[in-house]
């Protein structure tokens, strides 16, 4: 008969040095953006990750509102992708194959980028004129204007601003220009260059 004997010794165990592989080591510090102000976005039940107020944060917040960030979704009205573009807007951007657009996250990001630049060009006189003013109790910012233009079109936003908010319009789901001006105010979109009639190459 064989007996096994286990001996437990109290005290501090000997530490064995562990070498972290070079490929797993973090050598650079990563910037972390913190909120610079609070606003009503935090009252909603679901939120995208907070990315600060940079243009990437603006893009992702708008995408979250439009589609929860889903590149491959089509809504009940036929709007496509992460940013919910309509067929007419896609044609203006030089995209004539909606099926290919829906399958390509890269193309969707490119279209969103050039559409922002196009809207900024159309509203280039109105942005400096109205930023900093209050319309319908909402502080007007450049990012709010660009978000509203994504929702309702730059022409409708121009009419809204120049009528001091009396010509508000809503999309088919009832979302108004005023709502987008409020929800997307305060992001830094200054790095977006205005471009006249940009197209996808």
């Amino acid at each position: 008969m064989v007996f096994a004997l286990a001996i437990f010794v109290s005290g501090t165990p000997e530490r064995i040095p562990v070498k972290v592989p070079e490929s797993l080591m973090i050598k650079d510090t990563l910037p972390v953006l913190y909120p610079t102000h609070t606003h009503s976005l935090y009252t909603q039940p679901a939120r995208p990750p907070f990315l600060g107020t940079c243009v990437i944060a603006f893009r992702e917040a708008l995408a979250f509102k439009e589609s929860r960030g889903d590149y491959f979704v089509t809504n009940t009205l036929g709007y496509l992708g992460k940013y919910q573009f309509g067929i007419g807007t896609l044609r203006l951007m030089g995209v004539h194959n909606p099926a290919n657009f829906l399958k390509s996250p890269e193309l969707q990001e490119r279209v969103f980028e050039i559409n922002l630049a196009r809207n900024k060009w159309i509203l280039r006189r109105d942005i400096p004129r109205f930023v900093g003013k209050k319309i319908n109790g909402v502080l007007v910012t450049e990012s709010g204007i660009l978000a509203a233009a994504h929702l309702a079109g730059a022409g409708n936003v121009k009419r809204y601003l120049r009528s001091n908010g009396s010509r508000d319009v809503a999309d088919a789901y009832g979302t108004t220009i005023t709502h987008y001006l409020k929800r997307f105010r305060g992001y830094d979109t200054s790095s977006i260059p205005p471009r006249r009639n940009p197209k996808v190459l």
Side-chain angles (χ1 to χ4, degrees), residues 46-108:
R47 289 285 120 216
F50 189 82
L51 298 171
T53 57
C54 65
V55 70
I56 294 172
F58 170 74
R59 181 188 73 198
E60 294 305 315
L62 189 56
F64 189 82
K65 173 66 174 70
E66 293 291 331
S67 70
R68 302 242 175 215
D70 187 345
Y71 284 107
F72 309 106
V73 70
T74 302
N75 77 1
T76 56
L77 300 173
Y79 288 85
L80 305 169
K82 181 178 178 180
Y83 303 103
Q84 293 291 280
F85 280 105
I87 301 297
T89 302
L90 291 179
R91 287 176 181 155
L92 285 174
M93 302 294 105
V95 176
H96 300 284
N97 189 323
N100 284 346
F101 173 80
L102 196 59
K103 291 187 291 187
S104 174
E106 182 180 0
L107 180 57
Q108 291 185 38

Side-chain angles (χ1 to χ4, degrees), residues 57-59 61-63 65-66 83-85 112 115-116 119-120 123 127 140-154 157 171 175-187 189 192:
F58 170 74
R59 181 188 73 198
L62 189 56
K65 173 66 174 70
E66 293 291 331
Y83 303 103
Q84 293 291 280
F85 280 105
F112 180 71
N115 191 54
L116 280 178
N119 286 337
K120 197 167 183 179
L123 294 159
I127 289 171
V140 177
T141 66
E142 181 180 283
S143 61
I145 289 173
L146 292 177
H150 181 81
L151 171 78
V157 173
D171 69 3
T175 306
T176 62
I177 289 174
T178 298
H179 177 77
Y180 262 47
L181 281 173
K182 182 176 182 180
R183 183 160 187 168
F184 296 102
R185 70 187 187 271
Y187 290 94
T189 53
I192 299 166

